[in-house]
């Protein structure tokens, strides 16, 4: 059975296969990917997180802001979502 990290990497790989279409249609919204499929697209992180929490009991669930890259600063432990137009 894959561990949580492997499962999350798999969900991210699924997201990457549909990323371009999502960025074109729903830039700035929030995507939820679970069980190797797109569960839905939501207007807010809160909505997406609520759905993900319900699904998380069955495995890893990815919540990602469409078109944004997460930047981490190690020293200050600061997280920034930076928009990226490709």
């Amino acid at each position: 059975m894959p561990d949580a990290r492997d499962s999350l990497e798999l969900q991210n790989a699924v997201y990457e296969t549909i990323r371009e279409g999502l960025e074109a249609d729903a830039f700035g919204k929030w995507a939820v990917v679970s069980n190797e499929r797109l569960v839905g697209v939501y207007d807010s992180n809160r909505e997406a997180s609520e759905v993900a929490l319900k699904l998380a009991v069955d495995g890893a669930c990815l919540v990602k802001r469409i078109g944004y890259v997460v930047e981490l600063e190690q020293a200050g432990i600061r997280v920034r979502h930076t928009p990226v137009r490709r």
Side-chain angles (χ1 to χ4, degrees):
M1 179 174 207
D3 67 9
R5 175 174 271 164
D6 291 340
S7 183
L8 193 55
E9 287 177 7
L10 179 59
Q11 304 319 314
N12 195 57
V14 170
Y15 174 84
E16 285 300 317
T17 65
I18 58 175
R19 178 183 49 78
E20 285 185 29
L22 288 172
E23 287 178 356
D25 298 336
F27 191 91
K29 294 189 178 192
W30 294 83
V32 175
V33 179
S34 182
N35 294 319
E36 300 177 48
R37 66 180 179 83
L38 176 66
V39 174
V41 174
Y42 303 90
D43 291 327
S44 71
N45 184 13
R46 182 181 190 139
E47 288 177 288
S49 295
E50 287 173 358
V51 170
L53 283 172
K54 292 175 186 171
L55 295 171
V57 295
D58 294 329
C61 202
L62 176 72
V63 176
K64 192 161 189 163
R65 190 156 191 202
I66 299 166
Y68 283 64
V69 173
V70 176
E71 296 178 22
L72 300 174
E73 288 182 18
Q74 214 49 329
I77 307 179
R78 189 172 172 186
V79 177
R80 253 191 327 260
H81 290 271
T82 306
V84 178
R85 292 278 184 188
R86 299 181 206 275

